[in-house]
Amino acid sequence: MAVYEERIVELRTRQKASSEEHRDYYEDRWIRNWELYRNTRQTRRYKMQPWNSNAQIPDAFRVVETTVPQHVLGMFRNPNWFSVEAPTAAGQTYQEMVRALLLQFWRKADGFRKTVEGMKRGTVLGHFCPKVTWKQEIGELVIQDTDYAYAPDGTPMEADYVERTVPHVKHNGPAIEFPDLFNLWQDPTGAGMFWIERIPTSFNTLEETNRQFNGNLYKNLAKLKANINLNPSPKTPRYSTGSAYDQPLSVTVDGIPEQFADDSVELWQCWGYVPPGIKRYDDTQWRMQVVANEEILIRDEPAPTHDHRAPYI
């Protein structure tokens, strides 16, 4: 790798370590809160008191599942839960059209269910972090089309109907997701200078994705492959649960072990500012970078958001 690439990896490693140091205080609390929500049984009957029941009433689960829907429904029960007001008289003609368009995007993004999910995470853990990206999903649609036939002399014959499969855009708009807090590191100062998200994948997946972009998406894949051959299994993360780091929080706390593939790769998707002293870019210092296996920079480009900031809220 180039010298500046090694400096970028060092920068992101220091940032992640700084964030993790400030986050350690809260991790045990997150796990304990989730165990209470999932009603993990931790009590046992005493030998001298066999009449005591070891049943555990799911109080935390009952409270969360009751209060969160009521809170969210209180926000969205009114069909006109938000409005659009034009600042000029000429724009008033379009304000209802803009409102309808925004509401349609909200529904396509499954905004209500996502709000419930986010509020539930915030109620249980005390913190959640939405990630809003743009998603395009292309599917197939079967339609009936008219098939015209003609006789050899050009006389039109009786039309027939045939089924055709055509491309169909299922979704083209904002997508909301909630990364696992154990897989997310953010600037502890609150300035939003960096965000790092851990994404487990495999080398075969990276190669396939790179081929779809004609080899222009990732770089240094040969070095990454050599790194995998030297270190066939990923490093065990330092982590309060001691379980698999790429599982959802509910699965992680339950202690289900992770089975690593031979070509497993741990990606750090890094968003944030790169000081000019490390590398001065021609476009913007706000970058989206991907570090593989904590050592190799495989992607470095301007942050693909409108303002070049991270898509986390």
Side-chain angles (χ1 to χ4, degrees), residues 32-92:
R32 177 57 181 158
N33 288 353
W34 191 264
E35 289 176 342
L36 291 173
Y37 170 69
R38 297 303 300 169
N39 200 40
T40 303
R41 189 176 64 185
Q42 295 182 344
T43 59
R44 296 181 180 179
R45 289 182 295 183
Y46 293 103
K47 294 181 179 180
M48 301 304 295
Q49 298 176 348
W51 56 86
N52 287 346
S53 172
N54 65 351
Q56 190 167 331
I57 301 175
D59 288 328
F61 182 86
R62 175 176 55 83
V63 171
V64 171
E65 295 297 325
T66 302
T67 58
V68 168
Q70 291 179 351
H71 181 67
V72 177
L73 285 174
M75 294 189 293
F76 302 114
R77 182 178 289 113
N78 188 345
N80 301 318
W81 57 273
F82 79 97
S83 62
V84 177
E85 297 183 4
T88 61
Q92 292 179 0

Side-chain angles (χ1 to χ4, degrees), residues 194-223:
F194 71 87
W195 296 77
I196 300 176
E197 182 178 355
R198 178 167 48 196
I199 303 176
T201 185
S202 66
F203 185 78
N204 290 336
T205 302
L206 292 178
E207 281 191 321
E208 179 62 27
T209 306
N210 202 39
R211 280 194 293 266
Q212 296 177 5
F213 288 85
N214 299 321
N216 298 322
L217 185 63
Y218 298 120
K219 58 182 180 180
N220 296 327
L221 289 185
K223 295 180 180 179

